[in-house]
Amino acid sequence: SDSRYEDAARKLCSVSAELTTQFNTVVSAEDIALYGALLGLATLDRSELRSLVLDGHDFKGRLELIPPLRDALRHYVRAEY
């Protein structure tokens, strides 16, 4: 169901940087950024996408690891198609 994907997006966006470094052999920071951003794009409205994904304290730096994805999300949030 969609609520599980939304819940996953929220959880991925709140993963701390310390936790990412502890488990980097299991999942990379880039993977967390990719899956969190895509799930957020699929399930969150634009304002939540901006606050949790693009401007989120824990997630913003991680999203910088994938500049094309970050830029695409910015364009989507601003409705610049």
Side-chain angles (χ1 to χ4, degrees):
S1 129
D2 286 344
S3 66
R4 290 185 12 198
Y5 292 115
E6 182 179 344
D7 187 42
R10 291 179 186 281
K11 288 185 191 300
L12 285 168
C13 289
S14 67
V15 172
S16 70
E18 297 82 36
L19 194 60
T20 304
T21 57
Q22 289 176 353
F23 293 99
N24 62 358
T25 58
V26 177
V27 64
S28 70
E30 290 88 348
D31 289 341
I32 293 173
L34 176 65
Y35 295 123
L38 291 177
L39 286 169
L41 184 61
T43 61
L44 302 173
D45 64 32
R46 282 188 170 94
S47 65
E48 288 178 309
L49 192 64
R50 174 175 281 154
S51 65
L52 291 175
V53 178
L54 288 172
D55 297 334
H57 180 269
D58 292 322
F59 201 75
K60 186 176 184 176
R62 195 171 286 127
L63 195 56
E64 295 296 320
L65 299 171
I66 311 175
L69 179 59
R70 179 206 57 216
D71 295 343
L73 290 173
R74 283 185 183 152
H75 289 296
Y76 174 77
V77 166
R78 296 176 186 158
E80 297 173 343
Y81 305 119

